[in-house]
Amino acid sequence: MKRFQARRFAARILTIGAMLPAVALAQGWPTKPITLYVAYGAGATTDITARALAKAAEPILGVPIAVENKGGGGGTVAAGLLASKKPDGYTLLVGSTGPLTIRPLLMKVAYNPANITGIIQYSHFHNGSIVVNANSPWKTIDEFIAYAKQHPGMSYATAGAGGVPTGSQQQGVVALMQCKGLQFKHVPTKGGSEANTMLMGNHVDFTSGSGSHNPLVKEGVFRQLVVFEKTRDPNFPDTPTLKEIGCDWDNPPDSGIAVFAPKGLPPEVSRKLEQTFTAIVKGEEFQAMLKRNYLPSDFKDSKRLAADIKSELDWFTDYFRKTGDLKN
């Protein structure tokens, strides 16, 4: 009996000893700079919001936050980097829910989505739209479609990668192609900012905007012809939806813009991050920044975000199974 009790005591000591580093980390965290990856290129809406979040969090957490753009692969490059890091709270990511839901269904990714956890969501991406230069000859979607029928192979850019419909922006274009009998060539980029630049330089005929195009439409640089949403965008009430031009499309769930971390954060670190970012994104200054960039305020705490990621994964699994694009 005494020998058995001694073994149990020794096992408890080992267990407690293994927990001590995590406890110490949680109590003293953070003690050094934090790295915040951005899943897309500099200058786009995701980058703008991530930098605003980092700037506001620095005085609260008391350490510098270095923002690093890791665009590519529709967000999978940044997701892979994040998943490889220790769950200590010193490496975070601002990006889309897509690398956890859409991408792994369509391509082989260098990470396990289960190794990434959501901290909070604060907005979501535009589902896409046909965006052209303001000096283009197309002033309406009907004029654009008529031209496209006579000129198959027009090119378009998105903030995603791959030749299959890898995100709602590309899915919307595919839906339009199928509905109206059109042929377009997809040019993937590392983010909305790069897609906008390609359109400005006339390197593509149009883009399927993810949101970063909105200020340029307001400024008169671009023209938006149709949106891939269930209802008209209140920021652009004169732009019709796909349904209004006769195209029935099963609109996908909104792809969230969220803060992520490697799975396995110490509970106190996770709680502190969630509380800090929640206070920031609900504040007037951050909300005003979202409004200036024509981004919706769409807050979800970690619990709600996890549930919605699962729902999004289920929706896309069913969708890509129906279309025949499901690879995994």
Side-chain angles (χ1 to χ4, degrees), residues 53-74:
L53 192 64
K55 183 178 179 180
E58 283 183 335
I60 299 174
L61 297 177
V63 296
I65 301 177
V67 179
E68 297 183 9
N69 295 90
K70 301 293 182 180

Side-chain angles (χ1 to χ4, degrees), residues 38-48 69-72 190-194:
V38 180
Y40 305 100
T45 48
T46 309
D47 178 63
I48 292 170
N69 295 90
K70 301 293 182 180
K190 292 183 179 181
S193 180
E194 183 180 341

Side-chain angles (χ1 to χ4, degrees), residues 180-196:
K180 300 297 182 180
L182 309 176
Q183 294 180 24
F184 297 131
K185 178 183 178 181
H186 180 219
V187 181
T189 71
K190 292 183 179 181
S193 180
E194 183 180 341
N196 291 339

Side-chain angles (χ1 to χ4, degrees), residues 45 123-126 210-219 233-236 287-297:
T45 48
S123 185
H124 63 254
F125 288 96
H126 188 64
S210 60
S212 60
H213 68 288
N214 286 338
L216 295 169
V217 174
K218 286 289 186 179
E219 293 168 12
D233 185 340
N235 292 308
F236 305 96
Q287 289 296 310
M289 180 274 301
L290 291 178
K291 190 173 182 179
R292 286 195 303 273
N293 287 278
Y294 306 99
L295 286 170
S297 178

Side-chain angles (χ1 to χ4, degrees), residues 180-261:
K180 300 297 182 180
L182 309 176
Q183 294 180 24
F184 297 131
K185 178 183 178 181
H186 180 219
V187 181
T189 71
K190 292 183 179 181
S193 180
E194 183 180 341
N196 291 339
T197 300
M198 292 191 70
L199 180 58
M200 287 182 201
N202 294 310
H203 301 296
V204 292
D205 296 299
F206 67 98
T207 70
S208 179
S210 60
S212 60
H213 68 288
N214 286 338
L216 295 169
V217 174
K218 286 289 186 179
E219 293 168 12
V221 177
F222 292 160
R223 182 183 297 127
Q224 187 169 248
L225 303 180
V226 68
V227 295
F228 306 151
E229 307 283 351
K230 293 181 180 179
T231 59
R232 292 196 179 197
D233 185 340
N235 292 308
F236 305 96
D238 295 330
T239 307
T241 65
L242 275 181
K243 187 174 182 180
E244 289 178 294
I245 65 169
C247 299
D248 288 328
W249 184 43
D250 187 11
N251 291 74
D254 294 319
S255 183
I257 306 177
V259 183
F260 300 95

